Amino acid sequence: MEGESKKAARSDLDEAALYFHKHPRPGKLEIQATKPLGNQRDLALAYSPGVAAPCLEIRDNPATAADYTARANLVGVVSNGSAVLGLGNIGPLASKPVMEGKAVLFKKFAGIDVFDIEIDAPEIDRMVETVAALEPTFGGINLEDIKAPECFEVEERLKARMAIPVFHDDQHGTAIIVAAAVLNGLEFAGKTISDIKIVTSGAGAAALACLNLLVLLGARIENIWVTDRFGVAYKGRVDEMDRWKDPYVKNTEARTLADVISGADVFLGLSAAGVLKPELLQHMAPKPLILALANPNPEIMPEAARAARPDAMICTGRSDFPNQVNNVLCFPYIFRGALDCGASAINEEMKMAAVRAIAALAREEPSDVAARAYSGETPIFGPDFLIPSPFDPRLILRIAPAVAKAACDTGVATRPITDFAAYIDTLNRFVFRSGLVMKPVFSMAKTSSAKRVIYADGEDERVLRAAQVVLEEGIAEPILIGRPHVIEVRLKRYGLRIKPGVDFGLINPEDDPRYRHYVDLLIELAGRRGVTTEAARTMVRTDNTVIAALALKRGDADAMVCGLEGRFERHLRNVTLIIGPRAGIKDHDLSTLSMLISQRGIIFLTDTHVSVDPTAEEIAEMTVLAAEEIQRFGIEPKAALLSHSDFGSRDSPSALKMRQAAAILARIAPDLQCDGEMHADTALSEQLRQRVYPHSRLIGEANLLVFPNLDSANITLTALRTMMDALHVGPILLGTDRPAHILTPSVTSRGVVNMTALAVVEAAHKAQAVVNLG
């Protein structure tokens, strides 16, 4: 029955995969233009006659191809389909879905564009000639799924002929991850690479590449024993022997894996399921590292290996077990670093730099993104976490600079990187997308003296992770509301090293010495608004948002963050009740600002969460507040008051309201670039706006969209966020007396960090204003 169940599940997966690849349009890739082609001039610039100019520049100076074309960010993924995954020699056409998949990974993880090229070239000479002829097109070549031993010859000859990186990922990608796992396994076991015994099962492209790289890292050839389906690679053997195996041939009487496994510190399996029998593990050295990488079923299942040797460290190629050896951990980032410095090759030093960067990352605390790739408790460095998660966003930040630096140091970089801090900053912006716009905010937060931020949802994993980040980056001094025993358990589960009472403040809602003071303050603030003494006691015991707001009001914190659980309206009610609006702002004038960051750029929207149907005066007030907030990002606000009317084309009540709000803003904020009422496309296109109304006070593209009501604002926010795959920063609550922000349940840990920085900067501005008034 179990076999039938697995077969049925596989059939379901196959059906789902076929549907996925077919709908809504076949394949996984498309080509998009990066330049506008909206008129005849665009066409003239993109093609004839304008294109002649960059052509002649490149003719005179070939290096300028990196300036005028996509070549410097374009990789060719090339295969002849002779060894596709576990499917074998299925041919180039059938390999195309795999190559498209590889292209998607390049783009997703490193922002690299790819043409997948499947060539009908089973012979070495034909493949070499075909690929070598493609050099003018690409910044690098990723060879994929080519059978051994032909793959060795193909790569060797192409590297000798081509002045761009040529990288056979099946060999070197696997080798780099394996080497990182070995370094970390040896560190945990207290062993030295020059002393260990390594035994392989399998002697194909990946296995030999792994061994070659381990030798470069210090392993000794005399301590390496190679076996495959014909047994030990011994002197005099003729079956499936070639010059690439020769360095590992032994003058020995041993013939089987069982004959050589005794005393092995590392087993490297790239062969077939079930090859490593549990009884063989008994003969291995203490704390052995078992790399059972056959797919889909490894040489030994982890549970069997663990039962035979509880002290073993185990890696597989599967995602459903710890320590997955997955090439996506390295190949996108190795190419990212190589392309960014114009490397003419990916040499051994660059590979070793990648190994060490990956190994070091596994010893850091896992990020929140990496943690979501696992179910249950978050792993930390140890036997079950020798290799980082493929979804850890820090991979590109560690590997690409290490590879680029090694390229520069070894003289293969044609465009050497001179400012690595700036380079890492560009990579960071790619990772989080909020890096650029948030950078001035983070810089101000780090230098601020008003740093105490209280988090109502102190037991939430996202807050705990954010607390560690803000501490490490010097952004804030976190205060968490939560039960101490729950927080301590979760910190341990998530692999976080911060400690309550040492690294962050803690308010225990069940037993805190400030309880009576908070109750008295709540009665003072809300006693005339229907909050009785008993109700106040209950609220201070049971509502963490109330506690956070009281702590902020009392001066125990400089800013607060809440809203990760529960409805926005409930949190807003408590914040309004306790914190209230700042001077000159009415309760009903509070509003929110949301920021969307996409490939297209940055856009702000207001009011997305508070005002259901604001008046013209309220719209003017929220626009001014939003503009003040946008300036904290170092951005000049340009506001467009949106409507179904375009500069007087309709006279509906909604249109008249937005027209009146624009008139009020012209009077109360004459220096603000603002106009309305207008259509959204008019707001985002100066060319269109000039045609509709050439005398607009708004110049250029609007970056602040102001909506007539909550429906239009919230619907637009959620639609744009989904359609543009945009990062949402916010909602940023505007108009409160003290910095108090209500997030939404969908927020990530990084979102909590972003809001923390904003809250700190807002608190600093308020503190400075008080000093100035004094």
Side-chain angles (χ1 to χ4, degrees):
M1 290 296 292
E2 183 179 350
E4 291 179 5
S5 175
K6 288 184 178 179
K7 185 176 180 181
R10 173 58 59 185
S11 177
D12 290 344
L13 179 62
D14 290 346
E15 288 298 320
L18 290 172
Y19 185 89
F20 175 86
H21 281 78
K22 187 174 182 179
H23 300 283
R25 53 188 292 190
K28 300 188 285 283
L29 296 173
E30 67 176 2
I31 295 174
Q32 290 187 343
T34 60
K35 298 295 190 292
L37 295 171
N39 53 45
Q40 185 60 41
R41 179 170 176 78
D42 290 344
L43 293 173
L45 292 172
Y47 199 55
S48 179
V51 75
C55 288
L56 295 175
E57 286 289 327
I58 295 168
R59 181 200 62 184
D60 296 337
N61 181 6
T64 60
D67 299 319
Y68 300 121
T69 75
R71 183 176 186 261
N73 193 53
L74 186 62
V75 166
V77 172
V78 184
S79 180
N80 66 357
S82 58
V84 180
L85 298 177
L87 304 174
N89 187 358
I90 62 174
L93 182 58
S95 76
K96 191 170 181 64
V98 178
M99 302 312 127
E100 284 190 356
K102 194 83 172 189
V104 170
L105 297 178
F106 268 108
K107 188 67 174 179
K108 167 69 176 176
F109 288 99
I112 294 172
D113 295 316
V114 164
F115 289 157
D116 64 291
I117 300 179
E118 298 76 28
I119 57 177
D120 185 7
E123 306 87 1
I124 291 175
D125 288 345
R126 185 173 179 182
M127 187 163 195
V128 169
E129 290 301 321
T130 302
V131 177
L134 297 172
E135 183 170 347
T137 300
F138 296 107
I141 296 291
N142 183 95
L143 299 174
E144 193 75 18
D145 291 348
I146 305 166
K147 70 184 181 72
E150 288 91 333
C151 60
F152 299 115
E153 183 79 23
V154 168
E155 185 188 39
E156 188 176 86
R157 288 168 59 178
L158 286 173
K159 288 174 72 173
R161 288 183 57 172
M162 301 179 79
I164 59 174
V166 177
F167 186 83
H168 186 207
D169 183 47
D170 298 323
Q171 291 183 59
H172 309 300
T174 302
I176 287 165
I177 309 304
V178 163
V182 169
L183 291 185
N184 279 345
L186 296 182
E187 176 170 320
F188 188 80
K191 300 177 182 180
T192 304
I193 193 168
S194 60
D195 297 332
I196 61 169
K197 179 179 179 180
I198 303 171
V199 175
T200 76
S201 173
L208 293 175
C210 291
L211 296 180
N212 294 340
L213 190 52
L214 289 172
V215 168
L216 286 173
L217 290 166
R220 294 191 292 174
I221 288 180
E222 58 266 31
N223 292 341
I224 298 173
W225 294 77
V226 172
T227 74
D228 57 19
R229 62 183 178 141
F230 291 98
V232 174
Y234 61 89
K235 191 172 183 180
R237 196 184 106 176
V238 295
D239 294 315
E240 287 194 3
M241 295 301 293
D242 51 57
R243 64 185 175 96
W244 292 281
K245 293 191 183 90
D246 285 347
Y248 303 104
V249 168
K250 295 289 189 294
N251 188 4
T252 178
E253 296 298 320
R255 293 295 182 266
T256 68
L257 176 62
D259 293 338
V260 298
I261 196 71
S262 180
D265 298 279
V266 175
F267 169 82
L268 173 59
L270 285 151
S271 53
V275 167
L276 184 61
K277 306 301 181 185
E279 56 268 22
L280 296 181
L281 271 62
Q282 301 298 333
H283 304 288
M284 294 185 71
K287 296 183 179 178
L289 174 60
I290 299 167
L291 296 134
L293 307 182
N295 264 324
N297 297 314
E299 286 78 2
I300 187 170
M301 294 299 288
E303 56 267 25
R306 187 80 68 198
R309 286 297 297 266
D311 62 335
M313 296 167 282
I314 306 161
C315 303
T316 71
R318 290 171 47 151
S319 60
D320 52 345
F321 293 112
N323 291 325
Q324 183 193 15
V325 175
N326 187 333
N327 290 10
V328 79
L329 278 162
C330 68
F331 73 79
Y333 317 121
I334 290 171
F335 270 98
R336 180 74 279 159
L339 292 172
D340 289 341
C341 67
S344 59
I346 295 175
N347 58 30
E348 302 307 319
E349 290 82 0
M350 294 160 74
K351 296 175 195 173
M352 288 191 287
V355 170
R356 295 191 174 99
I358 294 167
L361 180 56
R363 296 192 290 268
E364 298 182 28
E365 288 93 357
S367 71
D368 64 306
V369 177
R372 289 199 297 271
Y374 297 88
S375 57
E377 294 191 0
T378 305
I380 57 176
F381 178 63
D384 289 331
F385 194 64
L386 301 174
I387 307 170
S389 162
F391 297 98
D392 194 322
R394 297 171 296 178
L395 285 163
I396 192 172
L397 303 177
R398 305 293 189 273
I399 299 173
V403 168
K405 186 175 188 307
C408 296
D409 292 344
T410 55
V412 298
T414 62
R415 300 190 304 276
I417 295 172
T418 56
D419 188 343
F420 272 89
Y423 175 54
I424 292 170
D425 191 47
T426 64
L427 296 174
N428 191 66
R429 293 201 297 271
F430 169 77
V431 172
F432 295 115
R433 290 183 295 172
S434 60
L436 178 62
V437 68
M438 291 298 295
K439 186 170 183 179
V441 176
F442 275 81
S443 297
M444 286 185 282
K446 290 177 181 180
T447 59
S448 170
S449 58
K451 286 182 176 290
R452 299 170 303 162
V453 178
I454 188 165
Y455 300 87
D457 305 285
E459 296 175 3
D460 191 285
E461 177 184 356
R462 294 163 291 179
V463 168
L464 294 172
R465 293 189 180 283
Q468 177 151 307
V469 172
V470 300
L471 279 165
E472 289 176 347
E473 298 190 10
I475 296 169
E477 299 169 7
I479 304 168
L480 274 55
I481 300 176
R483 296 160 293 178
H485 65 282
V486 173
I487 289 177
E488 288 180 7
V489 168
R490 292 183 179 179
L491 287 172
K492 184 176 180 181
R493 180 190 305 165
Y494 304 140
L496 302 174
R497 67 171 185 269
I498 54 176
K499 299 182 183 302
V502 178
D503 300 304
F504 61 88
L506 185 64
I507 293 180
N508 180 3
E510 295 179 343
D511 182 20
D512 192 275
R514 291 162 284 200
Y515 170 73
R516 181 174 296 176
H517 299 292
Y518 286 168
V519 170
D520 291 344
L521 179 57
L522 181 56
I523 294 170
E524 178 186 338
L525 294 170
R528 291 181 179 273
R529 300 180 68 176
V531 177
T532 65
T533 300
E534 277 304 312
R537 289 172 180 163
T538 301
M539 290 169 71
V540 176
R541 281 277 187 236
T542 61
D543 195 319
N544 286 8
T545 298
V546 169
I547 299 172
L550 290 167
L552 179 60
K553 187 74 172 181
R554 191 169 176 262
D556 296 337
D558 300 307
M560 69 171 280
V561 173
C562 64
L564 279 75
E565 300 291 340
R567 294 190 176 277
F568 187 94
E569 293 79 6
R570 177 175 65 83
H571 297 293
L572 179 63
R573 185 167 57 250
N574 289 328
V575 168
T576 304
L577 180 69
I578 298 167
I579 302 299
R582 75 186 195 193
I585 304 293
K586 300 175 183 178
D587 283 2
H588 54 267
D589 282 353
L590 296 183
S591 60
T592 59
L593 176 71
S594 286
M595 176 169 61
L596 290 178
I597 307 168
S598 70
Q599 296 296 330
R600 188 184 185 279
I602 301 163
I603 195 77
F604 295 88
L605 301 88
T606 194
D607 168 23
T608 54
H609 285 80
V610 177
S611 303
V612 176
D613 188 16
T615 65
E617 291 76 11
E618 290 166 350
I619 288 171
E621 184 66 50
M622 71 174 64
T623 303
V624 171
L625 293 174
E628 290 177 2
E629 189 69 27
I630 292 170
Q631 288 173 333
R632 289 187 185 139
F633 293 94
I635 299 172
E636 180 188 4
K638 297 184 178 184
L641 277 60
L642 302 186
S643 172
H644 67 283
S645 172
D646 207 15
F647 288 106
S649 64
R650 301 283 292 275
D651 286 330
S652 67
S654 173
L656 292 172
K657 177 175 72 172
M658 299 305 282
R659 197 178 306 165
Q660 183 183 354
I664 294 171
L665 283 164
R667 185 177 70 253
I668 66 173
D671 295 331
L672 173 64
Q673 279 204 53
C674 176
D675 212 339
E677 80 285 9
M678 69 180 79
H679 289 170
D681 56 352
T682 305
L684 298 174
S685 170
E686 182 172 22
Q687 184 179 22
L688 179 58
R689 192 164 57 253
Q690 285 294 315
R691 288 204 298 266
V692 175
Y693 183 63
H695 305 294
S696 173
R697 295 191 298 273
L698 183 62
I699 300 172
E701 182 176 310
N703 54 22
L704 171 59
L705 304 182
V706 183
F707 295 86
N709 55 49
L710 186 59
D711 279 345
S712 57
N714 195 267
I715 290 169
T716 303
L717 168 66
T718 52
L720 287 179
R721 184 173 61 189
T722 303
M723 293 172 64
M724 299 169 62
D725 189 26
L727 174 67
H728 177 212
V729 178
I732 305 166
L733 187 60
L734 305 176
T736 54
D737 185 52
R738 302 187 184 194
H741 294 291
I742 306 166
L743 304 183
T744 58
S746 63
V747 71
T748 64
S749 176
R750 189 68 189 180
V752 177
V753 173
N754 284 338
M755 192 55 65
T756 300
L758 286 168
V760 168
V761 171
E762 187 179 346
H765 276 281
K766 182 173 179 58
Q768 186 61 48
V770 170
V771 170
N772 292 341
L773 286 173

